[in-house]
């Protein structure tokens, strides 16, 4: 379950985040806010299931915030912390959909118990909403076949540019050419032997995932459908005035919400691949292929994850791509490092070069155009032509010196294989650049309360993916690493003659007494004993 904490006192907020065992109890703290206005802004992209909020805050008090949240989403469970044991406050809170009213100072145990009770109630409500019978009924009454066929035509590259607009209007589908797009592909994770579901239940699980995704994205700028393999595909559209970073974050959090809801309801996991961003419907085949490529990386990072394409933060890839669908497929194959896709597209293009042609000049013209397209891809990626192609580099400028159809085909296949193989190198699972940026941020902000949730926001990736990637690359969890860095630096500072209070502040602890307890638990000695020695 996702939890948001809204509290204006930084000490209380830090205590609730750092000293209550949320993760051990299946609770994920996805957002921290210090006032009601900030909480409302963060709600849409973080999708909290439960909110713990203070009643007295600047800008917007807790009761007003509770009413606003209840009007937007009646499923969200709210717990109020108040210093006032007054009947009218409690009555107003309950009328605003608040589940619990705790009097300050509430202990960690009281807060944790209230949140777990809210999670249990919400879990029952979600199971009722997504029960087996309801999902099976929706499965038999799925979306109209014409719309689904149109969506699959979009991602397969079967439509020309003018067809996107004309056919979408005919089917009442709101596509706008100037909006940024991102594609997400979702699939249930492989089933475990002896689990609740068996292999023959896979079609039902696929539909269950689609149904839950449909509920989560309802009212958003997006389209949802099933592809030819049964996977759930979502096409997200950016909103007016929404900058790329905000759009990427919204796509990431919404996808994660779908995965967590499936896990809560059916006790099975799913994973998702998220494409980069592009402007223009003609890029949908490339974005779909990127999302599929990202999803395949769950073999490396594990299940129950939303994985961004190529472990990148998502460059805007809009460019002057070719209009021909086979040329787009060739570029997509190279982009993904997929030799099979690239060579299949090349074969179709070569059929166009040599088929239905009566003049040698026409063949030569088409070959020059094809070589120009390959050269453009290489230059856009800023690759070194001669270093990558070796002796075959000469054919980019003298392809017409080849005199037979077989020789031309053989040479072009060899060139495309070399380019695609070179492209594979940057698609190898790594993520080290992202982790390096994270490690730098930790060192720069070691004197603050460091939250993986906030860092994930700043890096435009979801917390679960970043947490799994960090452990894969560094070998320990993010919280273990941060604690190690803080305790190591604090010990070093004290050994060099620094005061305990100063050491605590330098590594982000406001209360030196609490710092001493943490230090003692980590090193086995008190800070004062280190200083004495």
């Amino acid at each position: 379950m996702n939890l948001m904490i809204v509290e204006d006192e930084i000490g209380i907020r830090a205590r609730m985040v750092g000293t209550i065992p949320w993760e051990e109890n299946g609770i994920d703290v996805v957002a921290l806010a210090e006032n009601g206005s900030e909480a409302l802004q963060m709600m849409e992209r973080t999708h909290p299931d439960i909110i713990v909020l203070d009643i007295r805050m600047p800008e917007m008090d807790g009761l007003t915030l509770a009413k606003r949240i209840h009007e937007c989403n009646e499923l969200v469970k709210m717990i109020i912390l108040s210093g006032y044991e007054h009947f009218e406050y409690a009555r107003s809170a309950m009328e605003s959909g608040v589940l619990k009213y705790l009097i300050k100072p509430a202990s960690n145990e009281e807060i944790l118990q209230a949140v777990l009770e809210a999670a249990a109630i919400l879990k029952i409500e979600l199971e009722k909403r997504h029960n087996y019978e309801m999902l099976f009924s929706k499965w038999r009454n799925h979306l109209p076949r014409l719309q689904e066929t149109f969506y699959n035509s979009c991602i397969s590259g079967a439509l020309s540019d003018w067809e996107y607009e004309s056919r979408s209007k005919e089917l009442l589908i709101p596509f706008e050419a100037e909006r940024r797009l991102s594609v997400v592909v979702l699939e249930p994770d492989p089933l475990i032997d002896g689990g609740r579901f068996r292999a023959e239940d896979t079609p039902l699980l696929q539909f269950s995932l689609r149904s839950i995704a449909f509920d989560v994205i309802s009212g958003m700028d997006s389209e949802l459908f099933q592809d030819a393999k049964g996977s759930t595909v979502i096409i997200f559209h950016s909103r007016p005035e929404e900058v790329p970073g905000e759009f990427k974050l919204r796509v990431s959090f919404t996808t994660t919400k779908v995965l967590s809801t499936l896990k809560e309801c059916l006790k099975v996991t799913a994973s998702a691949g998220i494409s980069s961003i592009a402007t223009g419907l003609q890029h949908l085949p490339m974005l779909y292929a990127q999302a599929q490529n990202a999803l395949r990386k769950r073999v490396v990072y594990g299940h129950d994850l939303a994985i961004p394409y190529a472990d990148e933060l998502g460059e805007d890839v809009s460019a002057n791509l070719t209009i021909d669908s086979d040329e787009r497929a060739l570029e997509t194959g190279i982009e993904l490092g997929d030799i099979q896709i690239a060579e299949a597209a090349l074969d179709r293009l070569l059929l166009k070069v040599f088929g239905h042609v009566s003049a040698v000049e026409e063949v030569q013209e088409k070959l020059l155009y094809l070589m120009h397209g390959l050269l453009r891809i290489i230059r856009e990626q800023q690759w070194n032509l001669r270093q990558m192609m070796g002796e075959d580099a000469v054919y980019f400028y003298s392809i017409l010196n080849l005199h037979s159809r077989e020789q031309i085909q053989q040479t072009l296949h060899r060139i495309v294989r070399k380019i695609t193989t070179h492209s594979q190198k940057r698609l190898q699972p790594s993520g080290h650049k992202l982790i390096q940026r994270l490690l730098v941020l930790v060192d720069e902000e070691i004197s603050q309360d460091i939250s993986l949730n906030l860092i994930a926001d700043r890096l435009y990736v979801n917390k679960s993916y970043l947490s799994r990637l960090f452990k894969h690359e560094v070998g320990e969890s993010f919280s273990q690493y941060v604690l190690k860095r803080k305790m190591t630096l604090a010990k070093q500072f004290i050994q060099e003659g620094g005061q305990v209070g100063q050491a605590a502040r330098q590594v982000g602890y406001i209360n030196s007494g609490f710092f001493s307890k943490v230090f003692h638990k980590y090193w086995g000695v008190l800070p004062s004993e280190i200083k004495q020695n």
Side-chain angles (χ1 to χ4, degrees):
M1 290 285 181
N2 292 342
L3 173 67
M4 174 190 282
I5 297 174
V6 188
E7 167 62 62
D8 62 323
E9 294 186 35
I10 187 171
I12 297 176
R13 197 165 68 240
R15 174 176 69 85
M16 283 196 287
V17 173
T19 62
I20 298 177
W22 297 117
E23 290 189 7
E24 290 88 335
N25 289 278
I27 304 298
D28 191 9
V29 180
V30 297
L32 303 173
E34 60 183 37
N35 58 62
S37 298
E38 186 179 1
L40 286 176
Q41 292 174 2
M42 299 176 73
M43 270 198 66
E44 185 176 356
R45 71 170 186 264
T46 58
H47 299 290
D49 302 300
I50 305 165
I51 301 176
V52 176
L53 61 152
D54 188 10
I55 203 167
R56 293 287 300 274
M57 295 184 293
E59 296 188 31
M60 182 187 297
D61 64 83
L63 289 178
T64 303
L65 173 61
K67 290 178 183 177
R68 295 278 295 276
I69 292 171
H70 189 62
E71 290 169 359
C72 295
N73 189 346
E74 293 183 356
L75 280 176
V76 174
K77 303 304 173 191
M78 290 174 285
I79 300 164
I80 275 189
L81 296 176
S82 173
Y84 300 92
E85 191 171 359
H86 194 285
F87 174 74
E88 283 302 317
Y89 276 117
R91 185 178 61 81
S92 298
M94 298 307 169
E95 290 176 352
S96 302
V98 172
L99 183 67
K100 284 281 186 179
Y101 189 92
L102 302 180
I103 304 300
K104 289 183 177 180
S107 67
N108 286 358
E109 291 73 18
E110 287 179 289
I111 296 172
L112 177 59
Q113 188 57 41
V115 170
L116 292 179
E117 183 180 335
I121 293 172
L122 180 57
K123 181 180 174 182
I124 292 171
E125 292 178 1
L126 287 172
E127 285 178 345
K128 288 180 179 178
R129 189 167 183 175
H130 301 293
N131 62 62
Y132 183 97
E133 291 77 17
M134 182 183 296
L135 292 172
F136 189 77
S137 175
K138 287 185 179 180
W139 185 30
R140 295 177 65 90
N141 299 282
H142 58 279
L143 293 175
R145 175 61 63 181
L146 282 176
Q147 286 194 339
E148 192 161 284
T149 301
F150 172 76
Y151 293 139
N152 276 283
S153 296
C154 289
I155 61 174
S156 68
L159 301 178
S160 59
D161 289 351
W162 66 268
E163 287 181 295
Y164 286 110
E165 184 175 357
S166 63
R167 292 188 61 181
S168 63
K169 286 181 179 178
E170 291 172 4
L171 297 172
L172 303 179
I173 296 172
F175 274 139
E176 296 182 35
E178 69 278 6
R179 296 278 191 94
R180 293 186 181 92
L181 304 173
S182 183
V183 173
V184 175
V185 177
L186 305 99
E187 289 182 359
D189 290 323
L191 296 171
I192 300 172
D193 290 340
R196 181 182 177 187
F197 295 97
R198 295 174 295 178
E200 54 264 35
D201 295 319
T202 298
L204 176 62
L205 290 176
Q206 289 174 325
F207 178 76
S208 301
L209 178 57
R210 283 198 302 281
S211 181
I212 289 171
F214 180 81
D215 281 349
V216 171
I217 70 170
S218 180
M220 295 186 182
D221 297 301
S222 56
E223 284 77 40
L224 180 148
F225 59 98
Q226 173 184 345
D227 69 7
K229 298 187 298 182
S231 305
T232 296
V233 181
I234 305 175
I235 302 173
F236 285 94
H237 301 252
S238 65
R239 294 168 179 166
E241 310 303 325
E242 187 175 36
V243 300
E246 293 175 350
F247 179 42
K248 283 183 280 189
L249 206 56
R250 177 164 65 88
V251 171
S252 177
F253 272 112
T254 303
T255 304
T256 303
K257 177 67 173 180
V258 173
L259 302 183
S260 64
T261 303
L262 179 76
K263 188 176 181 180
E264 289 290 339
C265 294
L266 298 181
K267 306 297 185 297
V268 293
T269 63
S271 295
I274 304 175
S275 77
S276 59
I277 295 174
T279 303
L281 299 175
Q282 69 272 24
H283 301 325
L284 283 175
M286 180 184 67
L287 297 179
Y288 172 66
Q290 288 180 354
Q292 287 183 307
N293 185 71
L295 180 58
R296 285 195 288 269
K297 292 183 182 176
R298 61 180 162 177
V299 175
V300 177
Y301 297 120
H303 297 165
D304 193 24
L305 279 180
I307 307 171
Y309 165 65
D311 301 331
E312 297 171 350
L313 300 183
E315 299 292 331
D316 190 321
V317 296
S318 301
N320 295 321
L321 301 182
T322 59
I323 294 176
D324 185 276
S325 60
D326 290 325
E327 292 176 61
R328 284 204 299 269
L330 175 60
E331 185 161 357
T332 297
I334 292 172
E335 173 75 12
L336 296 176
D338 193 319
I339 293 176
Q340 186 176 357
I341 292 177
E343 290 199 296
L346 176 62
D347 283 333
R348 294 193 297 271
L349 286 169
L350 288 173
L351 281 176
K352 295 178 182 179
V353 170
F354 295 108
H356 307 293
V357 176
S358 57
V360 173
E361 291 78 14
E362 191 176 348
V363 171
Q364 292 175 333
E365 182 180 347
K366 290 182 177 180
L367 283 174
L368 289 173
Y369 181 80
L370 178 55
M371 296 305 293
H372 173 76
L374 292 172
L375 187 61
R376 175 181 55 79
I377 293 171
I378 293 170
R379 286 176 173 170
E380 284 179 350
Q381 298 295 335
Q382 298 183 345
W383 294 331
N384 186 302
L385 175 64
R386 295 194 178 278
Q387 188 177 33
M388 177 174 58
M389 300 307 305
E391 61 184 13
D392 284 332
V394 66
Y395 294 116
F396 280 83
Y397 308 103
S398 57
I399 189 68
L400 301 184
N401 290 340
L402 300 175
H403 300 298
S404 74
R405 176 172 176 167
E406 291 74 20
Q407 192 180 23
I408 291 170
Q409 289 176 323
Q410 185 180 33
T411 301
L412 283 173
H413 272 281
R414 188 170 63 247
I415 287 172
V416 167
R417 280 195 297 272
K418 284 185 177 181
I419 299 174
T420 309
T421 300
H422 186 82
S423 178
Q424 284 177 344
K425 295 178 183 178
R426 65 187 183 90
L427 296 176
Q428 294 299 317
S430 63
H432 66 280
K433 292 182 180 178
L434 184 60
I435 298 304
Q436 286 174 359
R437 291 182 61 182
L438 194 155
L439 296 178
V440 170
L441 283 173
V442 168
D443 284 342
E444 289 176 348
E445 302 180 7
I446 200 72
S447 63
Q448 302 176 33
D449 182 19
I450 302 173
S451 162
L452 184 61
N453 180 65
L454 296 177
I455 290 179
D457 261 15
R458 289 163 61 179
L459 297 179
Y460 302 119
V461 294
N462 66 72
K463 177 190 170 186
S464 298
Y465 169 73
L466 188 58
S467 175
R468 195 81 61 87
L469 180 62
F470 187 93
K471 190 162 187 177
H472 178 269
E473 294 292 331
V474 180
E476 59 186 332
S477 71
F478 177 77
S479 58
Q480 289 172 331
Y481 175 81
V482 172
L483 180 63
K484 180 178 72 176
R485 288 292 294 157
K486 284 179 179 283
M487 292 301 103
T488 301
L489 291 172
K491 181 181 178 182
Q492 180 182 347
F493 181 79
I494 294 170
Q495 287 175 330
E496 292 173 355
Q499 298 297 317
V500 174
Q502 279 184 294
R505 288 190 293 275
Q506 284 205 355
V507 293
Y509 289 86
I510 299 172
N511 187 313
S512 57
F514 179 64
F515 164 75
S516 295
K517 290 181 181 178
V518 176
F519 190 96
H520 181 267
K521 184 177 180 181
Y522 190 86
W523 291 115
V525 294
L526 291 169
S528 56
E529 295 173 327
I530 294 283
K531 186 172 179 61
Q532 289 169 3
N533 292 333

